[in-house]
Amino acid sequence: MMLFFFKNKESKAFSGFFKNILGYTPRRTELYHVAFTHRSSSSSLKGHRINNERLEYLGDAVLSAVVADFLYKKYPYQGEGFLTELRSKIVSRVSLNRLAVKIGLVELIEYQRDSSGGFKSIGGDAFEALIGAMYLEKGYKFTQRVIVDKILCNCLDVDAMATTDWNFKSKIIDWGQKNHKKVTFEVVRSFSQGHVARRQYESLVSIDGIPQKSAVEYSIKAAEQLAAEKTYKDLVSQGVIEK
């Protein structure tokens, strides 16, 4: 047990979050406090750094499996491409960051506010770590019910996300072909932060060899999509592309 590690054991915000948002009261509270601890606030226990990176890794896998199963059943006549793209929308770092703000999770995260870097995905990372902690305490079936009932059906408009134009990579490539512009995507760096953090990739969009926008995500495909979105919206704002 690692309860001594945490300063804020049973705050009203902590208990209220679980009761009001997720609909249950956790028993192994130490797991969830770890889930809400960013690496910038890591402590040490017997030579090991204590933060949410390991739980984030676990929660990412559980969340992806639950969302895939949910979409497979919800859209029985849609093809693999539709299901893959919609799952990517739901579990993208941008979507999870917004979700973490919406449900009040970001207010529970412990991190060093004067530390530099590594905070762009702090909400989404903590949400995945929360899923990992829930899975360890309650098991897969319970975690699946909470994700589906409390998150997918209550906090996200999945049908709206399904109709949202998200494939900005295809849009900007199509624009380039129509206007005789060479659009390229390049992974300019890949890196890991922390001892068990997942590898991240930075993708850069170039048009006729001129660098445009870049973005960092946990897969090359997701990084390309986000960089394409930034570039596309920037070109729209400049009047280069008609909205």
Side-chain angles (χ1 to χ4, degrees):
M1 300 289 284
M2 295 180 289
L3 289 176
F4 66 88
F5 167 76
F6 305 103
K7 299 176 182 177
N8 190 12
K9 295 189 179 84
E10 290 299 327
S11 69
K12 289 183 179 180
F14 179 87
S15 58
F17 170 79
F18 282 92
K19 182 178 179 180
N20 299 327
I21 302 299
L22 302 181
Y24 75 102
T25 300
R27 302 300 179 188
R28 297 177 60 186
T29 55
E30 74 278 4
L31 273 176
Y32 299 94
H33 283 293
V34 172
F36 299 156
T37 301
H38 185 256
R39 63 176 174 271
S40 63
S41 288
S42 297
S43 187
S44 180
L45 179 65
K46 296 181 180 180
H48 299 284
R49 288 170 60 82
I50 308 300
N51 58 49
N52 65 7
E53 289 179 337
R54 282 172 54 85
L55 288 173
E56 176 196 338
Y57 158 80
L58 181 60
D60 169 63
V62 174
L63 179 64
S64 183
V66 171
V67 171
D69 178 75
F70 172 80
L71 296 179
Y72 184 85
K73 295 173 181 175
K74 180 176 175 63
Y75 301 103
Y77 303 111
Q78 293 289 354
E80 181 268 346
F82 171 90
L83 298 174
T84 298
E85 182 171 332
L86 183 51
R87 181 182 62 179
S88 296
K89 291 180 186 180
I90 293 171
V91 303
S92 72
R93 197 56 55 203
V94 172
S95 177
L96 294 184
N97 284 340
R98 291 171 180 167
L99 175 63
V101 172
K102 181 177 181 178
I103 66 178
L105 174 57
V106 291
E107 299 172 10
L108 300 176
I109 302 173
E110 290 189 30
Y111 66 99
Q112 295 294 327
R113 288 163 175 76
D114 57 348
S115 180
S116 60
F119 297 122
K120 291 182 179 179
S121 60
I122 189 171
D125 294 347
F127 179 80
E128 287 184 336
L130 165 65
I131 299 303
M134 191 188 309
Y135 168 76
L136 288 179
E137 183 194 13
K138 299 290 189 179
Y140 182 81
K141 287 297 184 182
F142 181 92
T143 304
Q144 182 183 36
R145 286 197 300 272
V146 171
I147 293 174
V148 172
D149 296 342
K150 302 297 183 180
I151 302 300
L152 295 177
C153 293
N154 194 40
C155 296
L156 295 176
D157 190 338
V158 176
D159 287 328
M161 295 179 77
T163 59
T164 300
D165 192 354
W166 186 76
N167 197 344
F168 285 93
K169 182 178 179 180
S170 293
K171 290 180 71 171
I172 200 167
I173 289 175
D174 289 344
W175 169 83
Q177 291 174 342
K178 291 177 182 178
N179 292 275
H180 308 290
K181 303 286 186 180
K182 185 179 180 180
V183 179
T184 59
F185 294 81
E186 178 187 4
V187 177
V188 294
R189 65 175 179 138
S190 63
F191 60 96
S192 297
Q193 294 179 320
H195 297 293
V196 296
R198 288 174 291 156
R199 182 160 293 277
Q200 299 182 62
Y201 302 88
E202 181 177 6
S203 179
L204 172 68
V205 179
S206 295
I207 298 177
D208 287 339
I210 301 175
Q212 303 296 317
K213 299 294 183 179
S214 67
V216 174
E217 264 290 1
Y218 286 100
S219 71
I220 294 175
K221 182 178 179 179
E224 288 177 344
Q225 282 287 0
L226 187 55
E229 179 180 359
K230 289 182 177 181
T231 300
Y232 189 89
K233 290 181 177 179
D234 183 57
L235 294 176
V236 169
S237 67
Q238 296 177 37
V240 177
I241 297 179
E242 293 184 5
K243 190 172 183 181

